């Protein structure tokens, strides 16, 4: 009998006691955690210490939120860095084409964009900057392929562009101008 009583006492000791207080200030003590709408304090019978579980949960929630925000910020920075790298790669292709074909392209026909200092029109579409750089090159090449353009002077994103469809304008040394939609260039 003594053994059974000792066992029950040790189980209660390890289980802890919960002090539950409702919004009216009524307090109950119980061996299981309180309902979520009640303030919960866990009392350690061995040490006499107590832990306010609601505050612990708030601390844990706050720590998780801060961790999530930190991860989100890190992912945003990674995406920005990748976007910048992709745009620089496309710009390098444009500059290589211009440098190796000076008779077909003026030196400033496809000036590179800097992701950190974009013109207002391009800022609206900055998440697609690598596409813009690639499509500017394709628009210039398509104008040259028409045989109505001897030399490209400028290939730019046009103000008629929308998020659904870009429009590119190409100006030639012959005075001829071309307008190409994104769909025409990606066919």
């Amino acid at each position: 009998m003594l053994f059974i009583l000792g066992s029950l006492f040790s189980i209660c000791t390890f289980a802890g006691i919960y002090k539950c207080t409702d919004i009216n200030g009524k307090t109950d003590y119980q061996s299981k955690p309180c309902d979520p709408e009640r303030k919960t304090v866990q009392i350690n019978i061995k040490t006499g210490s107590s832990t306010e579980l609601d505050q612990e949960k708030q601390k844990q929630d706050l720590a998780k939120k801060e961790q999530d925000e930190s991860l989100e910020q890190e992912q945003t920075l990674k995406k920005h860095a990748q976007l910048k790298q992709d745009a620089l790669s496309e710009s390098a292709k444009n500059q290589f084409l211009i440098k190796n074909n000076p008779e077909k392209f003026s030196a400033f026909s496809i000036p590179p964009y800097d992701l950190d200092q974009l013109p207002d029109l391009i800022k609206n579409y900055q998440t697609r900057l690598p596409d813009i750089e690639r499509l500017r090159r394709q628009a210039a090449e398509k104008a040259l392929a028409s045989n109505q353009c001897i030399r490209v002077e400028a290939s730019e994103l046009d103000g008629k562009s929308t998020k659904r469809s870009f429009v590119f304008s190409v100006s030639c040394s012959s005075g001829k101008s071309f307008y190409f939609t994104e769909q025409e260039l990606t066919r």
Side-chain angles (χ1 to χ4, degrees):
M1 182 77 140
L2 215 64
F3 178 72
I4 294 173
L5 284 175
S7 297
L8 286 175
F9 179 73
S10 66
I11 290 172
C12 288
T13 303
F14 289 117
I17 294 183
Y18 296 89
K19 177 181 172 184
C20 306
T21 308
D22 66 14
I23 56 173
N24 297 325
K26 182 180 176 222
T27 302
D28 292 327
Y29 293 89
Q30 57 191 45
S31 62
K32 61 182 183 176
C34 310
D35 296 330
E37 63 272 354
R38 300 175 83 188
K39 181 179 174 186
T40 304
V41 175
Q42 184 177 20
I43 300 171
N44 184 330
I45 296 174
K46 281 186 174 181
T47 63
S49 65
S50 64
T51 306
E52 198 166 318
L53 296 182
D54 296 334
Q55 284 182 345
E56 283 298 314
K57 183 171 178 355
Q58 287 173 350
K59 285 179 187 176
Q60 289 172 353
D61 290 347
L62 181 61
K64 181 166 176 20
K65 182 180 177 185
E66 288 172 353
Q67 183 181 18
D68 290 348
E69 287 173 356
S70 177
L71 285 172
E72 187 177 317
Q73 185 178 23
E74 185 178 317
Q75 288 175 344
T76 300
L77 289 173
K78 282 182 181 178
K79 284 181 185 178
H80 183 77
Q82 185 63 49
L83 179 68
K84 191 171 190 172
Q85 182 61 40
D86 292 347
L88 287 172
S89 175
E90 290 297 332
S91 290
K93 291 175 187 176
N94 292 348
Q95 296 312 305
F96 181 79
L97 181 68
I98 291 167
K99 185 176 181 180
N100 290 317
N101 296 290
E103 69 286 345
K104 293 183 179 181
F105 297 93
S106 75
F108 302 103
S109 57
I110 312 173
Y113 291 127
D114 178 1
L115 187 59
D116 299 321
Q117 298 176 352
L118 294 173
D120 290 338
L121 174 62
I122 308 302
K123 277 183 188 176
N124 295 329
Y125 311 109
Q126 68 183 356
T127 58
R128 291 199 56 207
L129 188 57
D131 294 332
I132 292 170
E133 292 288 36
R134 179 179 44 80
L135 292 167
R136 289 168 67 202
R137 181 176 62 251
Q138 291 175 342
E141 290 173 326
K142 188 162 184 153
L144 287 169
S146 74
N147 291 325
Q148 296 177 6
C149 182
I150 312 261
R151 185 171 194 235
V152 174
E153 297 297 325
S155 181
E156 293 292 337
L157 183 68
D158 194 77
K160 297 174 188 167
S161 296
T162 65
K163 288 187 180 194
R164 289 184 164 208
S165 177
F166 290 146
V167 177
F168 294 87
S169 62
V170 179
S171 301
C172 300
S173 59
S174 62
K176 179 92 172 140
S177 293
F178 293 87
Y179 292 91
F180 300 108
T181 64
E182 181 176 2
Q183 289 75 19
E184 291 174 312
L185 296 171
T186 55
R187 278 189 222 156

